[in-house]
Every structure is written in structure tokens, then in C-alpha cells.
Amino acid sequence: MFELTKPQKEIRKAAKDFAKGEFDKELACELEKRCEFPKKIWKKAADLGFIGIHFPEKYSGGQMGMLESVLITEEFCRSDSSIGCAITQASFASECILKFGSEDLKNEFLPKVAEGKIISGAALTETKRGSDYKNINTTAVKSEGEWVINGNKTYVVNGGVAGFYVVLCKTGSDDVPIEKQLTMFAVEADRGGLTTENVGKKLGNNMVATSSMVLKDVTVPDSNMIGKEGKGYAQLNTFQDENRILVAAQALGNALGSYDRMMEYVKGREQFGKKLAEFQVSRHKIADMATKIELSKLILYKTAWSRDQGNLDRKLSSMAKMTASRTAMEVGAQTIQLYGGYGYMMEYEIERYYRDAKVIEIQEGARDVQKDIIADAVIGKIK
């Protein structure tokens, strides 16, 4: 549990070496300014097997586990938070097809994702709904063996660049429990009636396209349904529980990236005849950061390991995500504080790491959402 296997260490080193060779600081700044996806780097990463590493080999994956995915995500985001997040989210929501889709859907989409031929995306959230998925308005109505989808989505991950989307729709009538009303569909980006519009520049994570989506009489065959009708809400919960592990890995990598740059700076920067790292106030901040990073790493690795043993623990996933994202925010803030005015300037990477950390903190449910999930699990039913 506390020692990575030799293959896992090799995967971590391969990810670190790849990032070191491909993630360029100047390129990252330009891509971030232009809100542009790092397409060339993504394709190279796919060629080397870093995308869909947990997919079975028959779908062009590496047939490895969540912990291996965590190690890759951590190293990518440690090297560059923005590029790392963009590449590791290129397969976003394809796990829904992997876990719940038919064999035909898996064969159709998963190899293309793993091989870097298409990006996957998800249209789950709706305006003013936030995490309130039980009250979505997008509908899918069955008609002669097909489904006709109508509705509006917002904050669509990889919107406008994805080859297909996992779309959450209401298919059940109001007289059945809400947990049985929702269904997931795979919707190709070129389906008639589907349009996207980029939401514009964000505070951070600008290499990941985020859009609104309009679905007007979008028709998909019955075979594009992911799993069974009415199972969408349960599938969504499972997907989010699993994806929170990868979001936590992004947060850990982000925190480590800030920490690495901070350590290099305080060991070299001299004031009043002493290195910054020699002042007690700096030393105590460094000690706090190192401790929080280690705690985040331990709970994240345990969560990923547990999932790989067949136990996807919802409580642990939320704990890992909440702890790591909070650590990324706190380490980023303290790093800027130690850098002083330099940390606030865009020519340095520190401010970009801090901005990206805020987005990570919100993804897959903000802190209060995670607290509710954790509280539900530890308190249980009250008699």
C-alpha cells in the first residue's frame, strides 16, 4: 500500500519524462491566452498510451488501474497544471461508456479516444441547476426506435472540440421516482440540431473548452443509449465518484507544481543577508505545505488503490477530492505569498497554477457538496 510496484514507478517516470520533454512554459502561456487545447501534445500522449490507460487492451487501452491513471495525471499537472488538466480531461466521460455502455458503443468510441483520434465530452449540467441533476429539463422522447433530444446544457466539458458527448436526459414520466427518470446517451457532435457556443475565457483551466449546448430535435438511435433506460442517475453518481479521484490527482499535481517552484525560489532568493528558506516564518509555511501535500497523497492513493481492488468508496472519493483541492488552493496562496510581487505577475507560472487550482476545487462538486456526501456516509440513517 505504501510502496508503488516497479511497473507503477516506471509509469510515473515515463509520464514525468514525457512532460519534461513536451510541456513548454512559453507554449503553455500562449495556449492559455488563446484558450487553445494542446492538440499536438495530446496526440503524442495518446501515441505513447497515456490516454485511456485504464481501458482494456481490446479498446486500445493499457488495461491498467486507477492508481496508474492517478500517477500520470499527477505528474502531468505537476509539470504544467494547464496542459496536464487539458490532456487528462481529453477522455472525459468516456468512462460512462466503458462502465455502462454496450459492446457496440465501446468498440465505436473507446479505441478512438485512447488512440487520440477524438476527444470525448459531457453535457450534464443545466443553467441555474448546478449539482441539482434531479431537476434537469433536457428530454429524450422515444419515437419509432429512435430518441429525439431537446434541451439546453451549460458548462459542457470539451464543448465544441469533442467528437461525441455523454448527454444526461430525462426519459421517465413525473409519476416515477426521480432516480428512475434519467438516462444517458452518446451523442455524436455532428448530429443535426446540436450546436455549441464557447462560454469565453475563464479564471483558469482555459485550455479545456467549456461551452453551452443547444439540442433541438437531435435524433439518436436506440443503440446510443448508455446502459438501460432510467439508470442515468445511478450511472452519473458512479462516474462522478470515480472521476473525483482523477480531479484529486489534478489537484495534487497542481499543489506539487506550486511547491516545486516555491522551493526553488526560496532557496535562491536572498533578503537581509539570508535565503528566504532560512527565515523561520518561511520554514513553518514550508512545513505546513509539505504536510498537507503528503496527507493529500496518502488519502488519494488509498482511494485509487481501493477502487482497483473493486471497492469504489464514495466517501473516500469525496474526501480525496476535497482534501487535495483544498491543499492546491492553500499551497498556491502561500507560494504567491512567498514569491511576493513576482508571484502575482503573469510572466511567472505561479499565478496560473493558483487560478487552475480554483477551477479544480469547483469541479465534480464544490467543497460543500463533498461535505454532504461524506456526512451522509459517516452518519448513516438516523432512527
Side-chain angles (χ1 to χ4, degrees):
M1 178 60 189
F2 292 96
E3 181 69 25
L4 297 177
T5 64
K6 184 178 179 181
Q8 288 169 340
K9 291 178 180 178
E10 291 173 347
I11 288 170
R12 161 171 269 170
K13 183 178 184 303
K16 182 177 181 179
D17 291 344
F18 175 79
K20 184 178 180 180
E22 298 292 337
F23 294 10
D24 179 75
K25 175 184 173 182
E26 301 304 323
L27 174 62
C29 290
E30 283 302 311
L31 291 173
E32 212 263 346
K33 287 179 183 177
R34 298 198 301 261
C35 301
E36 185 177 327
F37 181 77
K39 190 173 182 179
K40 291 183 178 179
I41 301 175
W42 160 64
K43 284 190 172 294
K44 289 181 180 180
D47 289 342
L48 292 173
F50 290 122
I51 308 298
I53 195 170
H54 58 290
F55 292 179
E57 289 180 356
K58 63 180 179 179
Y59 308 128
S60 300
Q63 201 155 329
M64 297 184 184
M66 177 60 73
L67 185 51
E68 285 79 7
S69 292
V70 162
L71 296 173
I72 292 170
T73 301
E74 177 190 330
E75 288 299 331
F76 281 6
C77 292
R78 183 175 190 170
S79 181
D80 188 278
S81 176
S82 301
I83 295 176
C85 283
I87 292 176
T88 54
Q89 289 191 78
S91 60
F92 186 78
S94 60
E95 288 83 3
C96 295
I97 291 178
L98 176 63
K99 295 186 76 69
F100 309 114
S102 66
E103 196 63 26
D104 286 343
L105 280 180
K106 293 175 184 178
N107 286 321
E108 172 64 24
F109 294 111
L110 297 183
K112 294 176 184 176
V113 171
E115 294 166 12
K117 294 179 179 177
I118 59 173
I119 295 169
S120 57
L124 308 172
T125 310
E126 297 184 4
T127 303
K128 297 181 180 179
R129 302 293 179 190
S131 298
D132 184 12
Y133 296 105
K134 291 183 178 181
N135 289 303
I136 67 170
N137 292 319
T138 299
T139 61
V141 179
K142 195 167 186 178
S143 175
E144 298 180 354
E146 295 182 323
W147 292 85
V148 181
I149 303 174
N150 283 281
N152 296 276
K153 296 290 187 179
T154 190
Y155 298 124
V156 177
V157 177
N158 293 327
V161 299
F164 75 94
Y165 302 94
V166 172
V167 181
L168 187 66
C169 303
K170 184 176 180 180
T171 55
S173 60
D174 292 334
D175 58 355
V176 300
I178 187 64
E179 288 79 5
K180 297 181 180 180
Q181 291 183 18
L182 306 182
T183 305
M184 285 184 174
F185 293 89
V187 181
E188 295 88 345
D190 58 359
R191 290 272 173 185
L194 188 155
T195 57
T196 60
E197 182 177 354
N198 196 287
V199 299
K201 192 172 179 63
K202 308 184 292 288
L203 175 67
N205 208 20
N206 280 297
M207 293 183 203
V208 177
T210 307
S211 77
S212 58
M213 177 184 289
V214 176
L215 301 114
K216 186 176 181 179
D217 294 329
V218 177
T219 302
V220 297
D222 193 48
S223 58
N224 274 35
M225 182 187 293
I226 301 174
K228 296 181 179 179
E229 183 180 352
K231 297 294 184 180
Y233 186 69
Q235 292 169 354
L236 175 67
N237 283 333
T238 299
F239 163 65
Q240 290 185 321
D241 291 343
E242 189 164 289
N243 198 52
R244 285 184 183 113
I245 304 174
L246 293 176
V247 174
Q250 292 175 2
L252 176 61
N254 179 293
L256 284 165
S258 292
Y259 182 82
D260 291 342
R261 288 156 178 78
M262 176 275 300
M263 287 294 286
E264 182 179 4
Y265 182 77
V266 298
K267 287 180 179 181
R269 171 77 169 177
E270 186 173 303
Q271 281 194 318
F272 308 110
K274 294 171 65 176
K275 300 292 186 183
L276 283 182
E278 295 180 284
F279 289 94
Q280 188 180 64
V281 64
S282 300
R283 290 165 55 84
H284 286 187
K285 288 180 179 179
I286 292 168
D288 283 340
M289 285 187 272
T291 301
K292 290 172 181 176
I293 288 172
E294 191 65 21
L295 289 172
S296 298
K297 182 182 295 186
L298 287 172
I299 191 169
L300 171 58
Y301 285 12
K302 178 182 178 181
T303 305
W305 173 85
S306 178
R307 182 269 187 193
D308 289 339
Q309 304 309 305
N311 178 28
L312 179 58
D313 190 319
R314 190 168 205 221
K315 174 181 88 278
L316 279 179
S317 294
S318 287
M319 286 179 171
K321 193 269 178 182
M322 183 177 72
T323 302
S325 60
R326 180 184 292 174
T327 295
M329 285 295 296
E330 292 176 354
V331 170
Q334 289 290 13
T335 296
I336 290 175
Q337 196 71 18
L338 286 166
Y339 262 72
Y342 293 115
Y344 199 66
M345 303 300 293
M346 290 188 70
E347 64 182 284
Y348 291 86
E349 296 172 293
I350 302 305
E351 60 85 30
R352 180 160 56 84
Y353 270 76
Y354 186 61
R355 289 188 286 111
D356 286 344
K358 187 59 187 178
V359 180
I360 294 170
E361 188 180 42
I362 296 170
Q363 284 177 318
E364 295 298 358
R367 188 180 302 177
D368 289 342
V369 173
Q370 308 310 320
K371 288 181 178 180
D372 281 339
I373 293 171
I374 296 165
D376 285 344
V378 298
I379 296 171
K381 293 183 179 180
I382 298 176
K383 297 180 179 179

